């Protein structure tokens, strides 16, 4: 490691920039001219942790251990911590570490009093995907604005989605999960729902179809698990243990690391929910909560402009709510420039320069640091594992001098805990009974399905009645046709006699005197006496 030839910037002056008077986290000892100086400690003021930060470096340089080191000390100082564990190797923070020769050597080099220590921890999962207490949000709480950004809808489609949410509210159709929202949209584009679609105004059938397709694709990426009930209270992340230490909340994401959109969705909701719920507090002696997002490049890879704008705005504003956000990734280039500009604390591990692109990234990283007494371009390629270049915000908010640092060793387990231990920790949490089992209350999907079933049943009854009436009419017509075409029956003996010519002649003669006599003789009537 090379050192500037300027005698006005000695190691003592660099170390003086880290001699804070208030509470601070110990990172390690200053490295100067290839020598570790244990009496010159590099630290971060506790009050500046809500000014956000970046932990960067090539694979295998110790980024995760740095994250663990900072999180342990935050917990010890009563600050709750949230860790997004993409690779599944941060769960060891819940168990005491085990000593070995390397740890003892490192502790001696940096003047660290190393003691195995476990942090009070809770383990979470997105909607129950993987081990952990399920974290869910309802569609209503997530809201149309955030959902539009996740679905990458344009402005017109976003406004239309807002109208759909409004329609659901006015009709008493609760939107708890994605199938509820999908049911409402599908209903509005159906023949039965088209009159309703016209009534809410400004929503075309084509736009509704686009939203429906976007929802279906989103569901296929695993998002259906995240939306539903019971909805998680993000205030759980702000808890402290009975002994006053901050609870470390570990979100286990190894089961969804191939679904970055789901992870991004959760991040947007979580930060937005905290921002809406927490009061403005300004600068505090210690933050209320500090987030660490490991493998942060997964958040931003392929992200829409709307998503990036939302993250940038949230990171900028949430500081005033007492919340700090740290991104952990390989190079600063993984983080959008507008977000990177908000990160006041930097811990940069070694970078590699094996290819022209690596060399270009190295030069770009060097330009993001303040003026330094080191040749950073050379230094960043020579740092060993567990060493980093540090610059943080001092107690008055000014950047500290750039300091090459040999970092302390975490005191918790540097690696994952066993699957059985993790399962015991999850199941023994008091939160398990509250959030473990999903609840599917009657909501928009059930109500619309029931209405459609009733409408179909009514239509079937009407159709059946019409068919029965038609069949009755047909039967009557057939009976009438049958009656007209039937042969006449043979006359009876009486009919034959009455209808004969002799009988008709006899009947005519009854009117005459002779007839009267004959009739009396035939019918046996008595002759009247005169």
């Amino acid at each position: 490691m090379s050192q500037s030839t300027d005698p006005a910037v000695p190691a003592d002056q660099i170390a003086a920039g880290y001699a804070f008077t208030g509470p601070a986290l110990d990172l390690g000892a200053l490295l100067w001219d290839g020598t570790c100086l244990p009496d010159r400690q590099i630290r971060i003021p506790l009050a500046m942790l809500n000014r956000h930060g970046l932990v960067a470096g090539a694979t295998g340089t110790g980024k995760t251990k740095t994250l663990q080191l900072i999180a342990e000390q935050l917990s010890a100082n009563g600050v709750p911590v949230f860790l997004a564990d993409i690779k599944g190797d941060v769960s060891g923070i819940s168990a005491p570490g085990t000593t070995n020769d390397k740890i003892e050597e490192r502790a001696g080099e940096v003047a660290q009093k190393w003691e195995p220590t476990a942090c009070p921890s809770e383990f979470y999962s997105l909607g129950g995907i993987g081990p952990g207490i399920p974290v869910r949000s309802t569609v209503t709480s997530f809201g149309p604005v955030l959902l539009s950004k996740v679905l990458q809808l344009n402005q017109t489609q976003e406004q239309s989605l807002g109208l759909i949410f409004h329609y659901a509210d006015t009709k008493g159709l609760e939107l708890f999960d994605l199938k509820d929202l999908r049911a409402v949209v599908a209903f509005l584009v159906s023949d039965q729902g088209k009159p309703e679609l016209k009534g809410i105004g400004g929503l075309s059938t084509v736009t509704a179809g686009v939203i429906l397709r976007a929802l279906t694709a989103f569901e296929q990426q695993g998002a259906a698990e995240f939306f539903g009930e019971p909805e998680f209270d993000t205030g759980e992340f702000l808890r402290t243990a009975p002994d006053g230490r901050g609870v470390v909340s570990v979100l286990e994401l190894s089961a969804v690391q191939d679904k970055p959109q789901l992870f991004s969705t959760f991040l947007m909701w979580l930060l937005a929910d905290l921002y809406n719920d927490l009061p403005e507090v300004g600068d505090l002696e210690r933050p209320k909560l500090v987030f660490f997002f490991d493998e942060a490049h997964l958040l931003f890879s392929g992200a829409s402009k709307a998503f990036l704008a939302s993250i940038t705005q949230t990171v900028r504003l949430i500081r005033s709510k007492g919340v700090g956000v740290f991104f952990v990734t390989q190079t600063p280039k993984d983080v959008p420039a507008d977000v990177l500009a908000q990160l006041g604390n930097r811990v940069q591990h070694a970078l590699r320069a094996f290819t022209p692109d690596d060399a270009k990234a190295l030069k770009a990283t060097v330009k993001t640091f303040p003026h330094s007494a080191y040749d950073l371009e050379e230094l960043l390629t020579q740092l060993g594992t567990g060493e980093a270049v540090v610059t943080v915000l001092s107690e008055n908010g000014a950047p500290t001098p750039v300091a090459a640092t040999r970092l302390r060793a975490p005191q918790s387990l540097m690696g994952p805990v066993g699957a059985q231990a993790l399962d015991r920790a999850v199941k023994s949490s008091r939160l398990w009974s509250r959030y473990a089992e999903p609840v599917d209350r009657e909501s928009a999907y059930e109500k619309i399905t029931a209405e459609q079933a009733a409408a179909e049943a009514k239509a079937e009854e009407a159709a059946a009645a019409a068919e029965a009436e038609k069949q009755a009419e047909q039967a009557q017509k057939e009976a009438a046709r049958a009656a007209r075409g039937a042969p006449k029956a043979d006359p009876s003996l009486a009919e034959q006699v009455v209808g004969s010519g002799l009988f008709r002649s006899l009947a005519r003669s009854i009117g005459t005197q002779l007839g009267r006599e004959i009739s009396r003789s035939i019918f046996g009537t008595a002759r009247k006496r005169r």
Side-chain angles (χ1 to χ4, degrees):
M1 302 175 189
S2 64
Q3 145 187 5
S4 172
T5 57
D6 185 354
V9 192
D12 288 344
Q13 289 187 2
I14 295 176
Y18 294 86
F20 309 122
T21 58
L25 309 185
D26 296 314
L27 292 180
L30 179 68
L31 285 170
W32 180 256
D33 199 20
T35 303
C36 182
L37 307 174
D39 58 334
R40 294 170 174 83
Q41 292 290 306
I42 305 303
R43 312 161 75 210
I44 301 180
L46 186 59
M48 291 293 110
L49 267 295
N50 70 328
R51 301 297 182 92
H52 313 314
L54 175 72
V55 179
T59 301
T61 56
K63 300 187 301 295
T64 302
K65 303 300 182 290
T66 299
L67 175 159
Q68 200 168 339
L69 172 66
I70 298 174
E72 287 175 353
Q73 295 185 69
L74 283 169
S75 175
N77 280 275
V79 178
V81 176
F82 177 93
L83 300 177
D85 186 11
I86 293 287
K87 296 176 293 185
D89 55 1
V90 185
S91 58
I93 199 168
S94 64
T98 55
T99 188
N100 55 43
D101 293 342
K102 288 185 177 180
I103 290 178
E104 291 179 359
E105 180 182 0
R106 175 58 62 95
E109 290 173 345
V110 299
Q112 177 186 10
K113 184 180 179 181
W114 191 91
E115 294 180 356
T117 306
C119 296
S121 304
E122 295 277 13
F123 296 94
Y124 300 95
S125 64
L126 286 185
I129 304 175
I133 299 164
V135 176
R136 304 181 185 90
S137 168
T138 63
V139 171
T140 295
S141 295
F142 199 81
V145 176
L146 282 182
L147 191 56
S148 296
K149 290 178 171 57
V150 172
L151 298 179
Q152 300 187 19
L153 303 180
N154 61 33
Q155 184 176 6
T156 300
Q157 294 161 353
E158 178 181 339
Q159 293 170 348
S160 297
L161 185 60
L163 288 174
I164 292 171
F165 270 72
H166 176 69
Y167 170 80
D169 288 341
T170 57
K171 295 295 183 179
L173 300 173
E174 297 86 356
L175 302 177
F176 294 147
D177 51 30
L178 287 182
K179 74 176 186 296
D180 289 328
L181 180 57
R182 187 159 39 81
V184 172
V185 180
F187 169 74
L188 290 174
V189 297
S190 67
D191 292 339
Q192 185 181 355
K194 283 181 180 179
E196 300 284 338
L197 190 66
K198 294 180 181 179
I200 62 178
L203 179 61
S204 69
T205 303
V206 174
T207 300
V210 170
I211 294 172
L212 186 60
R213 289 192 295 273
L215 282 173
T216 301
F218 189 41
E219 238 177 334
Q220 292 173 347
Q221 295 173 10
E225 301 293 335
F226 172 61
F227 291 96
E229 290 189 306
E231 184 174 39
F232 188 79
D233 180 5
T234 55
E236 304 285 5
F237 295 139
L238 301 172
R239 292 186 298 124
T240 56
D243 60 3
R245 290 184 296 167
V247 173
V248 179
S249 300
V250 182
L251 181 66
E252 294 293 337
L253 294 169
S254 57
V256 295
Q257 58 182 310
D258 60 337
K259 300 173 181 176
Q261 189 176 14
L262 179 58
F263 178 34
S264 301
T265 299
F266 170 78
L267 170 63
M268 292 178 67
W269 166 76
L270 178 56
L271 293 179
D273 194 74
L274 284 169
Y275 178 78
N276 290 330
D277 290 348
L278 292 175
E280 293 279 344
V281 293
D283 292 326
L284 301 173
E285 292 184 358
R286 61 184 183 185
K288 289 186 174 182
L289 176 67
V290 177
F291 282 86
F292 290 88
F293 293 105
D294 201 1
E295 303 294 333
H297 65 278
L298 295 176
L299 293 175
F300 305 110
S301 179
S304 66
K305 291 182 179 179
F307 171 78
L308 295 179
S310 177
I311 289 294
T312 302
Q313 181 182 23
T314 303
V315 170
R316 180 183 297 117
L317 297 177
I318 204 169
R319 179 188 69 80
S320 63
K321 303 296 184 89
V323 177
V325 180
F326 275 68
F327 295 99
V328 184
T329 189
Q330 294 187 2
T331 73
K333 289 181 64 178
D334 294 334
V335 181
D338 289 342
V339 176
L340 189 63
Q342 308 299 318
L343 311 182
N345 303 295
R346 298 277 299 278
V347 180
Q348 177 67 60
H349 288 263
L351 292 174
R352 310 302 180 210
F354 298 138
T355 68
D357 287 342
D358 291 341
K360 185 178 180 181
L362 175 61
K363 290 182 181 294
T365 298
V366 170
K367 291 180 180 179
T368 63
F369 280 90
H371 175 72
S372 171
Y374 299 91
D375 181 349
L376 288 180
E377 193 168 333
E378 179 182 353
L379 175 60
L380 287 174
T381 61
Q382 296 180 354
L383 290 170
T385 301
E387 296 177 349
V389 170
V390 175
T391 180
V392 300
L393 295 179
S394 64
E395 291 170 312
N396 60 9
T400 60
V402 175
T405 307
R406 183 161 293 166
L407 299 168
R408 294 185 170 212
Q411 298 184 139
S412 56
L413 182 64
M414 290 188 280
V417 297
Q420 292 183 346
L422 179 58
D423 185 65
R424 284 196 301 271
V426 172
K427 300 290 178 62
S428 63
S429 171
R430 66 176 181 81
L431 302 181
W432 176 253
S433 60
R434 186 180 307 174
Y435 296 109
E437 290 299 321
V439 176
D440 191 8
R441 289 192 293 159
E442 183 185 52
S443 51
Y445 174 80
E446 288 77 16
K447 291 180 179 180
I448 290 175
T449 301
E451 289 181 3
Q452 289 178 334
E456 290 174 1
K458 187 176 181 180
E460 289 177 358
E461 290 178 3
E467 182 64 22
E469 184 178 353
K470 181 179 178 181
Q471 290 178 355
E473 291 177 356
Q474 186 67 22
Q476 290 177 356
K477 291 178 180 179
E478 290 178 356
R481 283 197 298 268
R484 288 194 300 269
K488 294 182 178 180
D490 294 335
S492 64
L493 178 60
E495 289 174 336
Q496 292 179 20
V497 171
V498 174
S500 66
L502 175 62
F503 187 85
R504 288 195 298 270
S505 176
L506 181 60
R508 284 193 301 269
S509 68
I510 291 177
T512 64
Q513 181 64 33
L514 177 60
R516 286 193 293 273
E517 293 296 329
I518 294 172
S519 64
R520 293 190 188 103
S521 174
I522 292 173
F523 296 108
T525 55
R527 179 181 297 174
K528 290 185 179 180
R529 293 181 181 274
R530 296 188 182 269

